[in-house]
Amino acid sequence: MKKIQSTCNYCAIDCNLDFYVEDNRIMKVVPTKGYPVNDGFCCIKGLSLDKQLTVKKPSPLPKIRQADGTMKEVPWEEGFQYVADKLKELQAKYGTESVAGISTGQLTMEEFALFGHVMRNYLKTNVDGNTRLCMATAVVAHKQSYGFDAPGYTLKDLELSDTIILIGANPVVTHPIVWGKIKDNHNKKLIVIDPRKSESARNADYWYGLKHKSDLYLYYAIANLLIEKDYIDKKYIEAHTEKFREFKAFVKDYTLSGAAEKTGLSEGQILELVELIHTGKRVSFWWTMGVNQGYEAVRTAQAVINLALMTGNIGRPGTGANSITGQCNAMGSRSYSNTAVLYAGGDFTNPARRARVAEALGVEESVLAEKPTKTYNQIIEGINAGEIKGLWILCTNPRHS
């Protein structure tokens, strides 16, 4: 058998895998030993690629549906021209935004760049991705907190953190490689905040099983207690944040007793959590879909970010307020305007940002899209309302997923 080393295409971890191939069929998949990301380990999805990718190869040619309902294979040039003519024909007849696109977090960066340019800049229409359905709240939280959308962490931070706080995340099941990094860190305290006693919670040093929909009150109360106890990094706050005084005044109403009543945790548990945050030298906060698809998700993510900012646990190895993603290139969809932001997470109305993006792309500023795209749900609603006449779906299957 021939061994071909490649990368798993499922999620953002990008594990290296050894594919053992015989007669053009994948016979076995083995995680690559010595590779720094996964080092001989991967999840069941990666191990099952031999079953899912060993299929009869279809024709590489595009197909166009004929009047009688059959699909006819055509040369690529004819397929390109057909799609281009149809999109422009629909726009000419029904308006610029009568066509739209739906993308995904599974595309490569180059494909995102091309798709975003064609749909947003050239056709001046809308394209959003299925990444919105899982990551939109984290995107907004990042943008409003940092001014741009880019969680700044690496897997190495899990190895260097001495206090790891998982919020609405269960990496034992959902991110096995992340869990492997946590497990191999023998100099850390592991804290899980989750209504469920998940697999990760059962392996944690501390589990805080709060009531559902109570996260936001808890993090505001923790912020208030950190301020009251003078457990904050004043130098960092002064140098790197804005409007701390207003935030301090806002969280003053979120009391310890109120947090206990709202969350179902005892006052002692909440105070214990505050002390754990304070005594940690390298505290890292990690959240995923429990927050991103939860109640008041944007504000909850921002409340977590604020805890990292006010304690100076950001911008240093082993720290951060970190949203864990799932798709292999969710950031790519946001970087190239496939979702409702200008390139690289900027604002469409920021002249300096527009000028910088235009310069980087080597185009006139007037070429760039002038407003955010319609969002995924708005595109679907537009189809159902008969306003969108043509839909370009790229590398995703909304009928199924």
Side-chain angles (χ1 to χ4, degrees):
M1 283 188 291
K2 182 180 180 181
K3 183 176 82 171
I4 300 174
Q5 188 177 5
S6 189
T7 305
C8 181
N9 64 334
Y10 270 116
C11 82
I13 300 298
D14 296 328
C15 292
N16 243 228
L17 303 173
D18 296 331
F19 293 88
Y20 289 84
V21 180
E22 187 174 81
D23 297 330
N24 210 29
R25 291 177 62 87
I26 300 170
M27 308 304 293
K28 183 172 64 173
V29 179
V30 178
T32 306
K33 289 185 178 179
Y35 189 68
V37 172
N38 58 309
D39 190 20
F41 179 64
C42 76
C43 77
I44 190 65
K45 288 185 178 181
L47 286 175
S48 301
L49 282 172
D50 60 327
K51 301 174 181 63
Q52 299 183 42
L53 294 185
T54 301
V55 295
K56 183 178 182 295
K57 285 189 175 181
S59 168
L61 295 174
K63 297 183 178 71
I64 298 175
R65 191 174 299 281
Q66 305 300 298
D68 63 0
T70 61
M71 300 292 283
K72 177 185 175 183
E73 287 186 356
V74 298
W76 275 106
E77 285 299 323
E78 182 179 339
F80 293 149
Q81 195 63 56
Y82 178 86
V83 172
D85 289 346
K86 277 290 184 183
L87 291 173
K88 292 167 75 173
E89 175 188 320
L90 289 170
Q91 284 190 314
K93 186 174 181 180
Y94 298 106
T96 303
E97 297 187 18
S98 62
V99 299
I102 291 177
S103 69
T104 170
Q106 307 302 122
L107 291 172
T108 65
M109 195 66 81
E110 296 83 358
E111 290 164 334
F112 270 130
L114 288 169
F115 196 46
H117 178 66
V118 169
M119 298 298 285
R120 300 289 288 125
N121 296 334
Y122 180 70
L123 293 178
K124 302 292 184 187
T125 192
N126 302 292
V127 54
D128 200 15
N130 61 25
T131 49
R132 171 172 301 284
L133 306 181
C134 58
M135 293 299 296
T137 49
V139 171
V140 176
H142 293 150
K143 280 198 67 184
Q144 291 184 353
S145 292
Y146 305 135
F148 62 95
D149 165 30
Y153 69 87
T154 70
L155 294 177
K156 189 71 176 176
D157 289 311
L158 290 162
E159 301 172 8
L160 299 175
S161 179
D162 65 10
T163 307
I164 299 173
I165 303 177
L166 301 177
I167 302 169
N170 185 19
V172 168
V173 172
T174 59
H175 293 85
I177 300 302
V178 168
W179 177 250
K181 300 291 183 182
I182 294 172
K183 189 164 62 72
D184 291 342
N185 180 345
H186 300 295
N187 300 303
K188 74 7 177 123
K189 294 174 182 174
L190 178 61
I191 300 158
V192 172
I193 302 172
D194 197 316
R196 307 165 303 156
K197 193 170 185 180
S198 65
E199 290 82 354
S200 298
R202 290 198 288 271
N203 284 277
D205 299 302
Y206 303 87
W207 169 55
Y208 298 100
L210 76 175
K211 293 178 182 176
H212 66 286
K213 294 187 177 182
S214 67
D215 290 72
L216 194 54
Y217 200 106
L218 175 64
Y219 307 136
Y220 286 155
I222 289 173
N224 186 32
L225 289 165
L226 289 168
I227 293 168
E228 287 181 353
K229 292 176 176 291
D230 200 25
Y231 287 173
I232 59 176
D233 189 331
K234 295 175 183 176
K235 288 184 178 180
Y236 188 92
I237 292 169
E238 181 65 28
H240 301 294
T241 70
E242 298 174 329
K243 298 187 177 180
F244 177 71
R245 289 179 182 173
E246 291 89 336
F247 179 72
K248 178 181 177 180
F250 171 74
V251 298
K252 198 168 182 61
D253 292 334
Y254 291 83
T255 63
L256 176 60
S257 59
E261 182 182 351
K262 290 281 187 180
T263 64
L265 301 174
S266 70
E267 292 188 10
Q269 285 179 298
I270 296 169
L271 289 171
E272 177 185 59
L273 181 51
V274 170
E275 292 297 327
L276 287 167
I277 294 170
H278 172 58
T279 55
K281 303 300 181 186
R282 297 177 303 280
V283 182
S284 59
F285 302 84
W286 307 79
W287 77 87
T288 182
M289 297 309 141
V291 169
N292 290 338
Q293 297 186 16
Y295 179 70
E296 299 245 29
V298 172
R299 295 293 170 252
T300 300
Q302 287 175 328
V304 175
I305 291 169
N306 286 339
L307 293 179
L309 290 170
M310 66 195 296
T311 56
N313 281 297
I314 203 159
R316 295 184 290 112
T319 67
N322 308 316
S323 63
I324 308 173
T325 189
Q327 297 196 60
C328 61
N329 196 13
M331 280 302 301
S333 67
R334 284 122 70 179
S335 293
Y336 286 100
S337 291
N338 282 244
T339 49
V341 290
L342 184 62
Y343 283 70
D347 291 315
F348 289 91
T349 56
N350 185 327
R353 184 72 172 188
R354 291 180 66 84
R356 185 178 176 188
V357 169
E359 181 183 2
L361 295 177
V363 300
E364 294 293 327
E365 186 271 333
S366 59
V367 171
L368 302 178
E370 297 175 354
K371 63 179 181 178
T373 178
K374 287 183 178 177
T375 57
Y376 195 113
N377 59 299
Q378 290 174 326
I379 289 172
I380 300 301
E381 290 161 4
I383 295 167
N384 293 337
E387 298 162 358
I388 293 176
K389 306 293 185 179
L391 180 67
W392 186 351
I393 298 174
L394 199 59
C395 200
T396 186
N397 184 9
R399 183 171 180 176
H400 179 271
S401 62

